[in-house]
Amino acid sequence: MPSPRRVLLADPLYHVHSILHYRASLGSAGFEQTEFTVLTSVFSDEEERRLETFRQSQPRLTVRLRERHEVIASRTQCWRHYLQAMRQVEGMLAQQEFDLVIYIMADHVLPIFALPMARPFFPHHFSVGVRGLVFRHNGLRQTATSVRGRLLEFFDRWVLGRALRSGAFRRVAFLDREAARRARALEKTPLCIEGIDPVDIPDSDRSRARTRFALSPEDFVFLLFGSFDDRKGFIETLEVIRDTALPHERIVVLIAGLGDAEFIARLEAVIATCRYRVVLHNQFIPDADLPDYFAAADCVVCAYKNFVASSGVLLHGASAGNLAIVSSGGVMADDVREFGFGEVVSVEDRAGFGASVQRLMNLTLAERSRMSEGALAYARSRDSRFYMTQFLTAEEHASVERSS
């Protein structure tokens, strides 16, 4: 089979990492000549400007924007929005021919088209065969705390189980290993694999990056990266490092991203109590500058609260060979444990968190080198150049490899 000529990427809710998926699709081995159409919906002017700038730089990419969506604050809103998007996809499939139809960046409420009695309403989804359906968050994990939330998650898992048995899918990918394992148990045929959250692996110049941030060879640099909010556990991380018996003269905490004035005030109040150096960059970090932050770091810290998703911060850190500290109970913990490049912590267990920091700072050169190789192995398993291959059958994959 030649590589597909036309691919529809249905991305119902544009996300901060969506462009990474689009770029990876365009650059995947065997798909260099393929034309891609993206159907998505943005929330803000800033999102629309960023998407339009990217579209203008990609002659093989067509973007069809749905009506701008509201802030998604409930599963009910999510269901309604996805249903509207799927109806539009169904209309596109009735009018145009695509070789692959791939849903990306989607939560597990998505397979509405595979509910009982849905086939008459979504016949083209079934006839063309849906690929992708990358589960961004929970997959089959139980994460709700309220009774209503647990009932909704039970219903979501039931929908997913029905979807996997429906015949609408040609290939399904997951970001969540536990979700993938449970989905395999539900499915009669080998449709499910673990999805790839794409990352570009840069040629990092560690020496230049550390010089840029005025870091010495002896400094041990913890990186806290991304939007600033309480969910990220930045303040707790600073406090744990402050309160743990460590060589504080060697420690630098580099914090980069954007936060509102109220959070920054609280963050700076904690920074004032720290005996180690903290470098705070409260600003948007352009994509071109991003590799330097990770090349300069020794360890990325993703001690997030109530978080079970994957993390672009973790992936970028791994692509630079960084050690990692991640929160327990989610996809990040799965990855760090499997590839052996860091520590899994709980923000609530301050003593255990501190002990993990101590262990990483006390690694021998050989131990650190081995863990760094594990990080790079993890990044290579998510290499953006092979992003599209996760949506192909084994036979299609082999054909693409031969043609490329």
Side-chain angles (χ1 to χ4, degrees):
M1 184 194 84
S3 62
R5 292 176 294 103
R6 300 190 69 210
V7 174
L8 172 61
L9 301 177
D11 187 12
L13 292 172
Y14 179 87
H15 184 263
V16 65
H17 299 306
S18 287
I19 282 179
L20 295 177
H21 289 252
Y22 307 161
R23 183 183 292 118
S25 299
L26 288 156
S28 287
F31 292 83
E32 296 87 348
Q33 306 304 317
T34 302
E35 294 182 358
F36 290 85
T37 297
V38 168
L39 176 68
T40 191
S41 175
V42 299
F43 166 68
S44 66
D45 290 340
E46 181 182 351
E47 287 180 338
E48 186 168 351
R49 283 193 297 269
R50 187 175 183 223
L51 181 57
E52 176 60 18
T53 299
F54 178 72
R55 185 200 64 77
Q56 291 177 359
S57 70
Q58 303 294 334
R60 292 187 290 118
L61 180 68
T62 300
V63 175
R64 291 187 58 173
L65 273 181
R66 304 181 60 250
E67 288 186 10
R68 185 168 295 187
H69 67 83
E70 73 280 10
V71 176
I72 302 297
S74 71
R75 287 175 184 265
T76 303
Q77 286 178 296
C78 211
W79 273 83
R80 184 170 63 248
H81 186 82
Y82 283 153
L83 180 58
Q84 292 167 352
M86 280 174 235
R87 286 172 173 162
Q88 190 165 347
V89 170
E90 182 69 17
M92 292 174 67
L93 296 180
Q95 298 171 10
Q96 304 175 58
E97 183 176 340
F98 291 95
D99 297 278
L100 295 179
V101 177
I102 297 172
Y103 278 91
I104 63 174
M105 296 303 293
D107 292 306
H108 54 299
V109 295
L110 179 62
I112 304 169
F113 58 78
L115 280 169
M117 307 302 292
R119 188 185 291 260
F121 300 98
F122 298 101
H124 293 92
H125 278 78
F126 282 82
S127 63
V128 74
V130 174
R131 313 287 180 107
L133 204 65
V134 179
F135 291 93
R136 183 173 64 216
H137 289 144
N138 304 334
L140 295 179
R141 288 180 184 272
Q142 176 106 17
T143 58
T145 55
S146 68
V147 173
R148 180 176 180 275
R150 285 195 293 271
L151 288 173
L152 285 170
E153 288 210 345
F154 176 83
F155 184 58
D156 287 343
R157 290 196 299 278
W158 178 79
V159 171
L160 179 57
R162 294 285 310 196
L164 291 173
R165 296 185 177 96
S166 70
F169 297 114
R170 296 293 182 274
R171 197 71 167 168
V172 182
F174 291 83
L175 296 176
D176 184 329
R177 285 186 182 80
E178 180 62 24
R181 284 193 289 269
R182 295 189 190 184
R184 288 190 185 100
L186 290 171
E187 180 49 48
K188 308 297 184 184
T189 56
L191 293 175
C192 306
I193 61 171
E194 294 163 12
I196 299 171
D197 204 357
V199 67
D200 295 322
I201 302 178
D203 293 325
S204 301
D205 187 335
R206 179 175 171 83
S207 178
R208 180 185 58 78
R210 287 176 75 93
T211 298
R212 172 182 177 179
F213 297 117
L215 301 169
S216 70
E218 296 78 23
D219 289 334
F220 192 97
V221 181
F222 294 96
L223 176 63
L224 308 180
F225 194 92
S227 58
F228 302 169
D229 57 52
D230 284 310
R231 181 179 59 89
K232 293 291 188 72
F234 285 8
I235 288 175
E236 290 83 354
T237 297
L238 291 174
E239 291 172 340
V240 165
I241 295 174
R242 179 196 64 192
D243 298 337
T244 302
L246 297 165
H248 288 104
E249 70 281 357
R250 287 183 53 212
I251 292 175
V252 178
V253 177
L254 177 58
I255 308 175
L258 276 174
D260 60 35
E262 186 274 335
F263 183 85
I264 293 299
R266 289 190 287 122
L267 186 68
E268 289 179 334
V270 175
I271 291 173
T273 68
C274 297
R275 293 173 290 149
Y276 50 85
R277 179 182 168 200
V278 179
V279 180
L280 176 61
H281 290 177
N282 179 28
Q283 62 194 50
F284 175 76
I285 309 300
D287 290 344
D289 290 342
L290 190 146
D292 276 356
Y293 282 88
F294 293 93
D298 294 285
C299 177
V300 293
V301 184
C302 302
Y304 303 160
K305 304 173 186 176
N306 301 318
F307 188 82
V308 297
S310 60
S311 168
V313 174
L314 180 64
L315 256 178
H316 284 295
S319 73
N322 292 163
L323 307 176
I325 295 174
V326 302
S327 51
S328 59
V331 178
M332 294 192 299
D334 290 344
D335 293 331
V336 166
R337 287 187 176 117
E338 177 177 344
F339 290 91
F341 62 101
E343 294 276 333
V344 177
V345 304
S346 169
V347 174
E348 289 75 26
D349 179 9
R350 297 290 185 97
F353 192 164
S356 290
V357 175
Q358 287 177 323
R359 280 192 293 273
L360 291 183
M361 290 197 67
N362 290 330
L363 292 174
T364 66
L365 186 60
E367 289 170 334
R368 177 166 175 176
S369 178
R370 183 169 62 250
M371 293 177 76
S372 183
E373 280 301 314
L376 291 170
Y378 167 57
R380 286 191 289 268
S381 76
R382 306 298 193 268
D383 192 325
S384 64
R385 292 170 295 180
F386 308 110
Y387 176 76
M388 288 295 294
T389 61
Q390 67 183 307
F391 305 124
L392 302 179
T393 65
E395 294 78 11
E396 290 168 342
H397 189 183
S399 177
V400 168
E401 283 190 331
R402 287 195 297 271
S403 65
S404 61

